[in-house]
């Protein structure tokens, strides 16, 4: 198995010795865990510049021309897949997307065989989503190219956490010292886990708000305050991050009903009135209007940053694709 | 018979937990049986003498739980009696299968094989299997092996029925509804890794339920594997009440904790899952104080294809024959548990629970024994294992204590040769 560059003594030494050390000494982006605040800051700054570029008429570039990007999605997705495709195309990648129905996984090929097959096609970066925690890291160990985790089971979704952080930073001017409440299905959410890691590393105060059946065991050990009462959980927060709750979990298995969930944990004007007046609302999408969030709030452009999150998603993914292929481009 | 048929193992530290012996002496073998044992044993004229200076001579190990016979690996691990689980294709839920599996497993001549039959037909948990006919065919116990009998009514009837056969009822303790889709221990590590957890309560609830039933039914009840402090508390109380309950533990549950799963190492996926550190420590104490009766290998070969998968999809299980003794000896070296206590848990006590003539060095007993160098340091190397497959979470682990020779019915079936060690 190959060692990742960040683990080698040489890279460690280079980082310590050289002021011009690689600002992002990682071969893959598999999770927020393992990224230093400085690396996160670097990605956010770069993404911020791409966000500006994306708003200009001249948003395309040929920075990564000739490089191949494969998006390998074993789990259905529209917005994340499209976001990665657009990000790649704006940078000039040859972008190919493979959704699970089109792959031979259905024919019984194992994940590692798929990895080896794709590796033989010599891609330069591969973006992977899989329904099993740890599956993307397993695949990355067999690949010669950079790998970006686009979501693995309940484990991590690093680009989502980065785009959330960028959105918050642009609206609030900082991350440090903000109080952020993450509300909803924490137990099954990779978005929650990556956000807890990222925002925690950047100095935000974190709360999770959920019914006990949607909280993972010992979640307080991740450095969050735990609330099962939403009004208390939203008191004086700067940011509310709502998570999607899957309908099948609301039909008696983990929650009594959709109606009861909205009543107790849905985001409404009344509950939101306990937060700070300049509170910002985030949602990773797709939303269940009237289930976890009142429709009017989702469309409130002053308080809701939901559309901006989608916009930042492209910028963040451009930044990730850019940094992971820099050495490749410099070398050529 | 000529005098040369005698073999004398001299100058050994003989540890026989069954007779409470721990003394330097000689063991004499003839015709596959033990002729004499003790400190002042005389060496018969013309006997072949094997000098065992510096070695421990103990009964061959009796393993209560294995999913494959894997004779070469068992012999290397010092295991002379292997107890096979009924979980195979087709399931061992009838007399013919009990006979077939036992015969097949013993073919190599390197091990003695015992078989447990299924508690329920097809291991399905609903209808009683033919316990009586299987008992008659030599089944040493009954278990559904990888899952609990979930239905309390069915379990009660099985326990009641087995009393008429003096049948040992063996439960794999895990409440399936509570364990649900869990793949590792519930707690902080599972939460960080984003893996579904299995609470220790899933184990303790089944044991607690069964012990209530045992009070009504009587009979002999054995917990296949215990992994947590809560289960030990429950078992300890039942033993104090005088109930006939016993339990066993596998080495991974006292030699590893849940952090071994970090990085999604599928070789560390076992069932029940590796637990938290305080539970692991409680298991060590349970072995020391005798609450835990037996140490078993839980030998479960899985090929690479079943393990080279995302953690949640990988099959649980680890090979255990060759690692059981050295890992148990860690408890002597690092936790001061007396060698005799550890050996009892791998010899006479499991034999007693299974009701078989094994695990002892008594005169006239079958000459199944092992020579151990208890201090010899080595490193477990998956590539060096003799088992069918290499799925061990202990690859690279430094251990102390090695089986130097395994004798079955007077014949040496394994002898350690330096060249096989790197």
């Amino acid at each position: 198995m190959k060692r990742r560059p960040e683990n080698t003594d040489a890279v460690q030494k280079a980082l310590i010795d050289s002021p011009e050390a690689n600002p992002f000494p990682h071969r893959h982006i598999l999770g927020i865990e393992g990224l230093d605040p400085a690396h996160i800051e670097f990605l956010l700054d770069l993404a911020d510049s791409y966000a500006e570029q994306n708003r200009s008429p001249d948003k395309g570039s040929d920075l990564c021309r000739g490089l191949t990007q494969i998006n390998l999605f074993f789990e259905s997705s529209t917005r994340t897949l499209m976001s990665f495709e657009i990000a790649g195309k704006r940078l000039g990648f040859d972008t190919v997307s493979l959704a699970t129905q089109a792959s031979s996984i259905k024919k019984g090929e194992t994940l590692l065989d798929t990895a080896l097959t794709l590796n033989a096609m010599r891609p330069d970066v591969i973006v992977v989503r899989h329904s099993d925690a740890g599956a993307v890291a397993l695949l990355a160990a067999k690949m010669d190219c950079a790998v970006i985790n686009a979501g693995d089971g309940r484990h991590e979704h690093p680009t989502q956490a980065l785009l959330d952080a960028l959105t918050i930073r642009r609206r609030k001017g900082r991350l440090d010292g903000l109080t952020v409440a993450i509300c909803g299905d924490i137990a099954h959410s990779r978005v929650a886990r990556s956000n807890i890691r990222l925002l925690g590393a950047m100095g935000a105060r974190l709360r999770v708000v959920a019914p006990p059946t949607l909280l993972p065991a010992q979640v307080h050990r991740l450095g969050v305050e735990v609330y099962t009462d939403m009004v208390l959980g939203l008191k004086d927060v700067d940011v509310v991050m709502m998570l999607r709750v899957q309908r099948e979990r609301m039909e008696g298995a983990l929650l009594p009903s959709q109606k009861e969930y909205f009543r107790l944990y849905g985001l409404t004007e009344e509950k939101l009135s306990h937060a700070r007046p300049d509170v910002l609302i985030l949602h990773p999408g797709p939303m269940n209007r009237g289930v976890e969030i009142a429709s009017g709030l989702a469309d409130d452009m002053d308080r809701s940053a939901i559309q901006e999150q989608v916009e930042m998603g492209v910028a963040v993914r451009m930044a990730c694709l850019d940094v992971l292929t820099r050495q490749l481009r410099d070398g050529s | 018979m000529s005098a040369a048929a005698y073999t004398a193992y001299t100058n050994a530290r003989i540890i026989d937990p069954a007779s409470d012996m721990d003394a330097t002496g000689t063991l004499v073998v003839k015709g596959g049986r033990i002729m004499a044992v003790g400190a002042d044993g005389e060496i018969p004229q013309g006997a072949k003498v094997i000098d065992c200076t510096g070695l421990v001579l103990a009964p061959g190990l009796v393993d209560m739980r294995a999913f494959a016979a894997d004779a070469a690996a068992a012999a290397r691990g010092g295991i002379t009696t292997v107890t096979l689980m009924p979980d195979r294709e087709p399931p061992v839920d009838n007399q013919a299968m009990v006979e077939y599996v036992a015969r097949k497993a013993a073919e190599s001549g390197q091990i003695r094989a015992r078989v447990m039959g299924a508690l329920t037909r097809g291991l399905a948990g609903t209808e009683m299997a033919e316990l009586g006919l299987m008992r008659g065919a030599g089944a040493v116990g009954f278990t559904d092996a990888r899952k609990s009998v979930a239905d309390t009514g069915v379990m009660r009837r099985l326990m009641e029925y087995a009393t008429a056969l003096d049948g040992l009822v063996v439960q794999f303790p895990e409440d399936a509804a509570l364990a649900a889709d869990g793949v590792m221990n519930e707690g902080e590590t599972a939460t960080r890794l984003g893996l579904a957890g299995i609470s220790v309560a899933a184990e303790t609830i089944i044991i607690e339920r069964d012990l209530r039933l045992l009070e009504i039914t009587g009979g002999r009840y054995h917990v296949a594997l215990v992994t947590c402090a809560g289960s030990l508390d429950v078992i300890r109380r039942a033993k104090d009440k005088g109930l006939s309950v016993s339990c066993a533990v596998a080495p991974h549950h006292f030699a590893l904790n849940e952090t071994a799963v970090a990085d999604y190492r599928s070789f560390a996926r076992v069932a029940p899952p590796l637990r938290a550190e305080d539970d692991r420590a409680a298991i060590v104490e349970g072995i020391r104080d005798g609450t835990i009766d037996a140490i078993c290998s839980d030998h479960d070969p899985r090929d690479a294809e079943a393990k080279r998968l995302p953690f949640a999809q990988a099959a649980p299980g680890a090979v255990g024959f060759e690692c059981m003794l050295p890992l148990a000896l860690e408890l002597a070296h690092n936790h001061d548990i007396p060698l005799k206590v550890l050996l009892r848990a791998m010899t006479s006590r499991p034999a007693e629970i299974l009701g078989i003539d094994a695990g002892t060095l008594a005169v006239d007993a079958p000459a199944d024994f092992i020579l151990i160098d208890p201090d010899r340091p080595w490193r477990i190397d998956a590539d060096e294992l003799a088992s069918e497959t290499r799925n061990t979470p202990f690859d690279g682990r430094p251990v102390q204590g090695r089986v130097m020779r395994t004798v079955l019915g007077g014949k040496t079936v394994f002898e350690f040769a330096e060249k096989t060690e790197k």
Side-chain angles (χ1 to χ4, degrees):
Chain A
M1 196 191 295
K2 277 196 165 60
R3 265 173 183 274
R4 291 182 203 147
E6 67 263 36
N7 292 340
T8 64
D9 292 344
V11 169
Q12 291 295 339
K13 193 169 182 303
L15 275 175
I16 294 161
D17 291 353
S18 154
E20 294 115 83
N22 185 350
F24 194 79
H26 298 277
R27 185 165 168 239
H28 306 300
I29 297 176
L30 300 177
I32 298 299
E33 188 162 46
L35 298 185
D36 289 346
H39 304 154
I40 294 168
E41 199 86 57
F42 173 75
L43 281 178
L44 293 179
D45 291 344
L46 184 61
D48 220 351
S49 68
Y50 277 119
E52 293 315 314
Q53 183 181 314
N54 285 340
R55 285 184 179 183
S56 76
D58 197 20
K59 51 181 164 281
S61 84
D62 58 359
L63 188 70
C64 300
R65 192 171 56 194
L67 299 183
T68 304
Q69 171 196 356
I70 298 179
N71 301 317
L72 180 60
F73 277 56
F74 294 101
E75 203 181 60
S76 65
S77 155
T78 42
R79 66 180 63 207
T80 305
L81 178 55
M82 190 168 282
S83 181
F84 269 111
E85 272 191 31
I86 291 171
K89 287 184 170 154
R90 285 203 182 143
L91 290 172
F93 278 94
D94 296 318
T95 301
V96 185
S97 293
L98 187 65
T100 177
Q101 306 90 288
S103 86
S104 49
I105 285 288
K106 293 280 184 205
K107 297 176 204 152
E109 187 178 73
T110 69
L111 179 64
L112 291 181
D113 288 336
T114 304
L116 293 174
T117 303
L118 293 177
N119 194 49
M121 296 177 190
R122 306 188 66 85
D124 300 294
V125 60
I126 179 163
V127 178
V128 187
R129 169 171 288 192
H130 196 282
S131 57
D132 279 313
V136 179
L138 184 68
L139 190 137
K142 300 287 171 192
M143 302 295 290
D144 295 322
C145 70
V147 176
I148 298 175
N149 180 2
D152 63 327
R154 309 171 184 181
H155 179 225
E156 284 240 34
H157 191 356
T159 57
Q160 177 72 43
L162 287 162
L163 74 88
D164 288 340
L166 181 59
T167 307
I168 297 170
R169 203 179 74 169
R170 284 168 65 101
R171 286 283 193 111
K172 297 284 182 193
R174 66 193 168 112
L175 296 170
D176 185 38
L178 295 177
T179 302
V180 180
I182 305 175
C183 310
D185 188 354
I186 312 293
H188 302 92
S189 177
R190 54 192 171 218
V191 175
R193 282 172 178 78
S194 287
N195 264 305
I196 289 168
R197 289 185 172 113
L198 192 156
L199 294 171
M202 303 310 281
R205 283 188 55 189
L206 288 159
R207 299 177 182 180
V208 294
V209 183
T213 47
L214 296 182
L215 286 169
Q218 299 196 297
V219 64
H220 64 278
R221 302 274 301 175
L222 306 190
V224 297
E225 291 172 43
V226 181
Y227 290 85
T228 53
D229 181 311
M230 197 164 184
V231 168
L232 295 178
L234 292 189
K235 186 150 173 48
D236 299 329
V237 300
D238 298 289
V239 179
V240 185
M241 192 179 287
M242 298 305 298
L243 298 176
R244 178 183 168 77
V245 181
Q246 286 182 12
R247 281 171 199 277
E248 61 266 25
R249 299 199 170 112
M250 286 184 288
E251 285 157 8
L254 295 169
L255 300 164
S257 71
Q258 212 165 291
K259 184 174 140 201
E260 179 164 327
Y261 184 74
F262 184 66
R263 180 70 193 272
L264 297 180
Y265 297 99
L267 189 65
T268 57
E269 282 288 358
E270 202 287 312
K271 291 192 194 103
L272 199 61
S273 68
H274 300 272
R276 289 177 59 94
D278 60 347
V279 66
L280 185 68
I281 303 167
L282 271 69
H283 193 301
M287 274 183 286
N288 291 314
R289 287 172 186 266
V291 176
E292 67 244 355
I293 185 165
S295 201
L297 283 175
D299 298 329
D300 179 341
M301 292 305 283
D302 289 335
R303 287 183 291 179
S304 160
I306 296 169
Q307 297 308 316
E308 202 173 328
Q309 283 176 279
V310 179
E311 184 187 351
M312 292 309 121
V314 176
V316 155
R317 284 159 188 141
M318 287 170 82
C320 293
L321 290 166
D322 172 354
V323 293
L324 291 182
T325 53
R326 266 186 193 183
Q327 272 178 322
L328 219 56
R329 303 196 312 264
D330 293 349
S332 63
Chain B
M1 201 177 274
S2 78
Y6 288 100
T7 308
Y9 293 82
T10 61
N11 302 315
R13 178 182 168 194
I14 299 174
I15 302 181
D16 181 28
S19 62
D20 219 27
M21 176 193 292
D22 184 350
T24 301
T26 301
L27 179 124
V28 181
V29 175
K30 185 191 173 191
R33 298 210 162 247
I34 294 168
M35 300 304 291
V37 59
D40 44 7
E42 274 191 25
I43 302 169
Q45 278 283 315
K48 181 182 173 192
V49 174
I50 294 170
D51 181 28
C52 306
T53 303
L55 302 181
V56 166
L57 191 157
L61 307 183
V62 177
D63 184 13
M64 294 188 73
R65 183 176 167 89
F67 290 89
D70 229 344
R76 282 175 68 97
I79 296 164
T80 50
T81 300
V82 168
T83 308
L84 289 163
M85 294 296 105
D87 183 294
R88 51 172 63 219
E89 199 49 54
V92 183
D93 63 355
N94 60 68
Q95 180 182 351
M97 278 300 289
V98 170
E99 285 164 353
Y100 170 76
V101 169
R103 195 172 60 241
K104 195 80 187 155
E107 262 172 8
S108 68
Q110 287 186 289
I111 52 166
R112 294 183 202 279
R114 301 289 187 162
V115 177
M116 284 197 193
L119 276 168
T120 63
R121 248 181 251 174
L123 303 161
T126 49
E127 296 161 314
M128 246 187 232
E130 291 169 337
L131 306 190
L133 295 178
M134 289 193 283
R135 186 83 170 117
V140 291
F142 304 100
T143 181
D144 279 358
R146 292 189 198 272
K147 53 190 177 191
S148 286
V149 175
D151 187 306
T152 312
V154 172
M155 188 62 189
R156 177 193 173 154
R157 297 298 169 217
L158 286 164
M159 290 170 80
E160 269 173 344
Y161 190 79
T163 60
L165 316 165
D166 189 30
L168 180 70
V169 174
V170 180
Q171 182 76 290
F172 174 80
E174 189 170 274
D175 184 309
L178 200 49
D181 58 351
V183 294
M184 71 169 292
N185 187 44
E186 181 175 293
E188 182 185 346
T189 307
T191 293
R192 284 185 186 279
L193 292 172
L195 293 171
I198 301 175
S199 161
V200 288
E203 173 178 314
T204 308
I205 280 174
I206 292 293
I207 299 173
E208 231 164 359
R209 178 200 73 172
D210 289 351
L211 290 172
R212 289 287 172 200
L213 294 176
L214 189 63
E215 286 184 42
I216 315 173
T217 62
R220 299 189 294 131
Y221 173 76
H222 175 77
V223 185
L225 294 169
V226 289
T227 68
C228 64
S231 298
L232 290 177
D233 288 345
V234 172
I235 291 167
R236 217 171 259 132
R237 278 203 301 277
K239 286 187 167 187
D240 288 347
K241 276 194 216 167
L243 292 176
S244 176
V245 53
S246 57
C247 64
V249 66
H252 36 260
H253 288 122
F254 61 72
L256 294 173
N257 65 27
E258 62 186 347
T259 60
V261 174
D263 291 340
Y264 304 96
R265 287 187 62 216
S266 60
F267 281 179
R269 180 160 183 209
V270 290
L274 299 176
R275 299 297 190 186
E277 174 56 19
D278 49 353
D279 283 315
R280 188 203 64 81
I283 293 296
V284 172
E285 291 315 302
I287 293 169
R288 188 196 309 280
D289 70 19
T291 305
I292 293 170
D293 298 87
I295 296 170
C296 64
S297 73
D298 196 23
H299 183 73
D300 196 359
R302 299 286 192 177
D303 62 23
E305 297 319 306
K307 286 289 189 184
R308 289 171 67 228
L309 290 170
F311 190 86
Q313 285 179 33
V319 290
F321 283 160
E322 290 159 87
C323 304
M324 179 168 80
L325 183 73
L327 292 169
L329 291 176
E330 280 187 355
L331 301 179
H333 296 302
N334 305 338
H335 297 272
D336 287 326
I337 298 182
L339 211 47
K340 205 198 297 177
V341 169
L342 295 168
L343 287 170
R344 176 180 295 122
M346 292 182 281
T347 59
S348 59
R349 187 62 189 128
E352 190 182 1
I353 296 166
L354 295 168
I356 59 175
D357 181 17
T360 162
L361 298 175
V363 171
D364 217 29
D368 298 352
F369 58 89
I370 54 177
L371 296 173
I372 310 164
D373 180 343
D375 299 316
R376 189 187 183 95
W378 60 294
R379 198 177 277 275
I380 295 172
D381 178 349
D383 292 335
E384 297 279 314
L385 295 178
S387 47
E388 285 172 20
T389 63
R390 311 278 180 270
N391 52 308
T392 175
F394 295 108
D395 188 26
R397 185 173 177 116
V399 288
Q400 226 183 323
R402 209 188 226 300
V403 176
M404 304 306 287
R405 184 194 289 256
T406 304
V407 179
L408 184 83
K411 286 201 197 83
T412 296
V413 291
F414 166 72
E415 192 169 3
F416 176 69
E418 193 71 50
K419 66 178 189 307
T420 67
E421 193 180 43
K422 273 203 199 117

